[in-house]
Amino acid sequence: MRIVILGAPGSGKGTQATILSERYNIPHISTGDLLRAAVKAKTELGLKAKSVMDAGELVSDELVLGMLRERLQADDVAGGFILDGFPRNLVQAEALDALLAEMEQPVDEAVQIEIDPEVIVGRLAKRAEEEGRSDDTEETVRNRIRVYEEQTAPVVGFYGDQEKLSQVFGVGTVEEVNARIVGVLADR
Ligand code: B4P
């Protein structure tokens, strides 16, 4: 199964992708996690990405695509994958389609987690207290929401046009949201 999880920052993408990865026994590929690891390791990519991430903007398509292309070549993706945080704009969505067509492994389903921006600000303020992520300040979170609305929301239509889109309501417990996602995947 090849799944893309879409949703605003703080919608629960990472949380749900982790649970789905265990359930379906396929790797969880988060471009945010890959970028944070590069920042931590101070690689060339990480050094370029840090200030962009801290401002809540998107890292360049070229860098993120190169990173993802490499990750998708690993042996563990042969049985499928869950992509979290990618694609983030239409250029990335089209590039992903082309890459997966080459691999003869097209996306099966895109699941969008829908949530109100004010719920997001509250959730990420809580995460800022607990984990101290440098892009969870209120100002950066509001910018990340704006970037999502301008650049990532059109990706929802991209998968809608391909009849591969499901939408689930993202408010409720983690388990409730997970049950909704498992339900829509079972119906496909
Ligand atoms: P990401 O790591 O993707 O960050 P995110 O959008 O905030 O999602 P995340 O997965 O962390 O949060 P989640 O919704 O699971 O990206 C970070 C940055 O990296 C971007 O701003 C950008 O700069 C860069 N980047 C990443 N991918 C890129 C790309 N493709 N192109 C360019 N740049 C890219 O959860 C948030 C919180 O909500 C958690 O604390 C969780 O505990 C809580 N939560 C989850 N579900 C809940 C529920 N049901 N109820 C209550 N709380 C819940």
Side-chain angles (χ1 to χ4, degrees):
M1 188 167 356
R2 292 174 294 272
I3 309 168
V4 166
I5 304 281
L6 300 170
S11 56
K13 297 185 300 291
T15 308
Q16 294 300 333
T18 304
I19 302 171
L20 294 169
S21 158
E22 276 179 31
R23 181 182 183 104
Y24 299 115
N25 197 23
I26 45 179
H28 166 200
I29 302 177
S30 157
T31 45
D33 286 351
L34 291 172
L35 287 167
R36 278 185 289 279
V39 169
K40 203 169 164 204
K42 296 196 168 71
T43 62
E44 198 186 332
L45 165 67
L47 293 173
K48 284 186 185 151
K50 181 161 185 1
S51 58
V52 181
M53 293 173 77
D54 283 349
E57 299 290 334
L58 295 184
V59 175
S60 84
D61 293 334
E62 195 192 340
L63 290 180
V64 178
L65 265 164
M67 183 180 80
L68 185 74
R69 191 173 289 120
E70 197 180 310
R71 178 65 186 88
L72 287 176
Q73 274 158 10
D75 292 342
D76 66 343
V77 300
F81 51 79
I82 299 174
L83 264 184
D84 155 22
F86 191 100
R88 217 72 167 206
N89 58 29
L90 284 176
V91 171
Q92 293 184 7
E94 280 160 9
L96 178 68
D97 253 20
L99 180 63
L100 294 179
E102 238 172 68
M103 295 166 63
E104 298 182 356
Q105 296 205 0
V107 167
D108 294 314
E109 190 69 8
V111 181
Q112 183 200 10
I113 306 177
E114 292 185 289
I115 192 163
D116 190 287
E118 286 313 312
V119 178
I120 296 171
V121 175
R123 276 188 192 179
L124 295 183
K126 189 164 166 247
R127 183 168 71 183
E129 274 174 32
E130 289 168 0
E131 297 177 20
R133 226 173 88 173
S134 59
D135 61 347
D136 279 344
T137 62
E138 182 166 345
E139 194 193 341
T140 303
V141 167
R142 292 208 182 268
N143 194 39
R144 284 160 59 199
I145 295 171
R146 188 186 57 75
V147 168
Y148 175 80
E149 283 166 354
E150 286 175 11
Q151 302 195 45
T152 313
V155 175
V156 173
F158 178 87
Y159 288 110
D161 291 346
Q162 297 188 1
E163 298 184 2
K164 289 181 175 176
L165 179 72
S166 299
Q167 293 167 301
V168 302
F169 182 48
V171 179
T173 65
V174 169
E175 293 74 21
E176 283 165 348
V177 178
N178 188 253
R180 289 175 202 142
I181 298 176
V182 170
V184 299
L185 291 175
D187 283 348
R188 294 298 288 193

